[in-house]
Amino acid sequence: MQNSEVVMVGLGYIGLPTAALIAQNKVRVHGVDINPQVVETINAGKIHIVEPELDQAVASAVEQGYLYADTKPVEANTYLIVVPTPFKGKNEPDISFVESATKAILPLLKSEDLYIIESTSPIGTTEKMKNLIYTERPELKGQLYMAYCPERVLPGNVMYELVHNDRVIGGIDEVSTEKAVNFYQRFVKGELHKTNARTAEMCKLVENSSRDVQIAFANELSLICDKADINVWELINLANKHPRVNILQPGCGVGGHCIAVDPYFIVADYPMESQIIGKAREINNYKSFWCAEKIKNAKLEFELQNGRKPKIALMGLAFKPDIDDLRESPAKYIVQKVLQNANNEEYYIVEPNIETHTVFKLTDYKEAVEKADIIAFLVGHKEFKELRLLKDNKVVLDFCGIDLK
Ligand SMILES: NC(=O)c1ccc[n+]([C@@H]2O[C@H](COP(=O)([O-])OP(=O)(O)OC[C@H]3O[C@@H](n4cnc5c(N)ncnc54)[C@H](O)[C@@H]3O)[C@@H](O)[C@H]2O)c1
């Protein structure tokens, strides 16, 4: 294989589609992943994640020799860091993956190279990596271009959004920003907005925090309305008739690996200043706990009124409607909480988007609804919204606006 122009470190949900897109544009990409199985799968022209259109893109890029995967980096002109940035301890961001990815490419760097971080990162990470690189390679000081460019694609539509979304690009200096913009211009049709590295880092965190705060407002309303005996769905619908009001829908909490995670990256570093952002996380987490308590209370009430234990359908496990992703899912948390010290025989657990689960025994959604005395809707899956089977004598706990016919 000829020399690679780009090294992509991290070949997961974001790194692999990005590598494939760049390679589709006839730029040689050397993809790096510490997981040898990932490397082997990609070099066989296959993929290890679920994402529409990615399989063809990887297969053709590998076949034409524009994409090659490896566990080790090689020399290139541009290095992209797209590794995980999880939590450690008590909601502290862990940038050790970004650090070790940077250390792996350190010996290969040369004057005029472009280094870009795409991983969601706490403010100041790009600056920290600059200091790390120049401490280890002082002879390169001031000779590298470094930038931060966050990713905002929607899983399920990544191959389209990678090309068409606007992007925010922030360099450690203006010339770095320009170099990074020139790089992305080759693959991206969306607008490329220039800023500095810290603002770009914060921009990614703020996008998800803003969603989290808005959902927390809706969830808080749902708690108030429950106590005040007001239908929250009707209330929000009416309030949104105001031309300048747009309240989101409440749910059983907030999940996934972005909205439920990224706000902590701000709160951890700015605890005194980020009062609303921190509180929103608490409210959204509390909403899940509250839903679990509601289900347990409905069970007790049913027993008192009917002199027998009810059958309970727990509808949904995914973190949002119509997907099979259970990461950080509030519905899964609620199911776990409700099943603690309970007799599993009393519950039907439903998730129409997955066939089986390692812990939960799944039941078909129509069967569960038919047999259950109490039905708790945790996720607004389209199958649930089409249900017309309910009998009047069932207790329905609607935590996600199913609005049964
Ligand atoms: N998935 C999304 O929808 C999404 C959206 C926006 C931003 N992000 C951010 O993008 C970053 C990557 O997320 P992802 O979903 O692609 O993660 P992922 O877990 O799917 O993939 C990361 C890959 O990096 C590899 N890896 C870990 N350490 C490495 C190292 N030192 N060297 C080489 N490879 C290494 C892992 O083996 C894994 O295959 C994260 O910061 C995430 O927050 C993700």
Side-chain angles (χ1 to χ4, degrees):
M1 188 173 173
Q2 292 169 23
N3 282 354
S4 295
E5 203 179 315
V6 172
V7 160
M8 171 73 63
V9 193
L11 296 171
Y13 282 95
I14 300 298
L16 183 57
T18 309
L21 171 69
I22 297 170
Q24 274 179 332
N25 284 273
K26 307 216 176 302
V27 173
R28 290 186 195 283
V29 182
H30 185 95
V32 182
D33 204 288
I34 45 169
N35 184 338
Q37 278 164 346
V38 167
V39 168
E40 206 178 300
T41 308
I42 294 168
N43 285 337
K46 302 203 170 90
I47 58 172
H48 61 292
I49 50 180
V50 179
E51 182 56 47
E53 294 172 34
L54 180 61
D55 48 355
Q56 303 101 295
V58 169
S60 77
V62 170
E63 195 190 306
Q64 291 176 31
Y66 284 104
L67 175 62
Y68 178 76
D70 197 351
T71 52
K72 297 267 176 291
V74 293
E75 220 175 74
N77 303 327
T78 299
Y79 297 85
L80 286 145
I81 309 293
V82 197
V83 293
T85 38
F87 289 151
K88 61 178 183 198
K90 204 171 173 291
N91 298 331
E92 299 277 329
D94 177 2
I95 60 163
S96 64
F97 293 84
V98 175
E99 260 166 18
S100 66
T102 303
K103 282 180 185 161
I105 60 152
L106 246 172
L108 302 163
L109 292 172
K110 57 189 185 323
S111 182
E112 307 271 304
D113 280 351
L114 176 61
Y115 164 93
I116 300 171
I117 303 176
E118 285 200 4
S119 299
T120 303
S121 301
I123 300 154
T125 303
T126 314
E127 196 76 16
K128 266 192 194 151
M129 292 307 113
K130 179 184 103 172
N131 294 340
L132 174 89
I133 292 170
Y134 286 155
T135 305
E136 297 291 321
R137 299 282 313 272
E139 78 282 10
L140 286 177
K141 205 161 185 179
Q143 295 179 30
L144 297 175
Y145 305 113
M146 298 185 206
Y148 181 75
C149 180
E151 189 45 73
R152 37 162 75 138
V153 289
L154 182 72
N157 197 27
V158 170
M159 295 313 287
Y160 177 85
E161 293 203 1
L162 272 177
V163 177
H164 296 278
N165 283 357
D166 282 15
R167 296 192 74 132
V168 173
I169 300 176
I172 53 163
D173 48 34
E174 278 182 24
V175 59
S176 291
T177 309
E178 288 300 332
K179 290 280 177 189
V181 166
N182 291 344
F183 172 73
Y184 283 103
Q185 248 162 7
R186 296 160 70 185
F187 327 107
V188 177
K189 293 193 177 135
E191 227 177 292
L192 302 173
H193 303 271
K194 297 176 200 171
T195 181
N196 57 47
R198 290 175 77 79
T199 309
E201 288 161 348
M202 182 63 160
C203 190
K204 171 70 191 172
L205 303 180
V206 160
E207 287 161 16
N208 285 335
S209 300
S210 149
R211 299 276 298 161
D212 199 42
V213 168
Q214 290 175 58
I215 297 168
F217 181 72
N219 276 335
E220 184 163 290
L221 288 183
S222 72
L223 301 176
I224 298 167
C225 285
D226 185 71
K227 228 175 198 170
D229 198 20
I230 291 169
N231 180 322
V232 70
W233 314 102
E234 184 192 355
L235 171 84
I236 291 174
N237 184 32
L238 293 173
N240 284 347
K241 302 288 180 208
H242 183 294
R244 285 165 295 283
V245 171
N246 186 13
I247 304 171
L248 299 186
Q249 300 296 299
C252 71
V254 170
H257 48 284
C258 289
I259 299 182
V261 174
D262 298 352
Y264 289 123
F265 285 31
I266 302 177
V267 176
D269 287 339
Y270 304 92
M272 290 309 293
E273 295 77 11
S274 51
Q275 297 292 318
I276 292 179
I277 298 171
K279 200 72 198 165
R281 282 281 67 243
E282 279 177 36
I283 293 167
N284 287 331
N285 286 339
Y286 174 71
K287 182 69 193 286
S288 309
F289 172 84
W290 182 89
C291 292
E293 291 302 302
K294 275 271 169 197
I295 297 169
K296 289 190 210 167
N297 289 339
K299 179 173 182 267
L300 289 176
E301 217 167 283
F302 185 96
E303 279 181 47
L304 282 174
Q305 281 177 7
N306 297 277
R308 68 172 174 91
K309 288 186 189 302
K311 293 276 189 189
I312 302 174
L314 301 171
M315 306 293 285
L317 285 172
F319 83 77
K320 65 176 184 179
D322 308 323
I323 58 161
D324 62 356
D325 194 339
L326 310 191
R327 285 181 290 176
E328 311 287 327
S329 168
K332 193 175 84 179
Y333 161 86
I334 293 166
V335 171
Q336 282 164 337
K337 196 112 192 95
V338 169
L339 290 186
Q340 257 169 16
N341 308 320
N343 176 2
N344 287 7
E345 296 300 306
E346 294 165 9
Y347 294 92
Y348 301 113
I349 299 159
V350 171
E351 179 41 74
N353 295 295
I354 56 176
E355 305 258 306
T356 55
H357 190 271
T358 46
V359 177
F360 306 121
K361 177 173 169 272
L362 301 180
T363 302
D364 172 72
Y365 71 101
K366 285 185 182 159
E367 183 189 341
V369 165
E370 189 65 29
K371 291 184 176 168
D373 303 297
I374 299 174
I375 303 165
F377 287 104
L378 307 177
V379 189
H381 290 314
K382 61 180 184 310
E383 292 86 347
F384 303 165
K385 292 190 170 171
E386 285 157 10
L387 281 168
R388 288 170 193 271
L389 306 168
L390 291 180
K391 300 192 185 100
D392 288 345
N393 59 354
K394 293 185 192 277
V395 178
V396 175
L397 301 172
D398 183 2
F399 298 124
C400 50
I402 288 291
D403 191 21
L404 291 163
K405 314 283 176 315

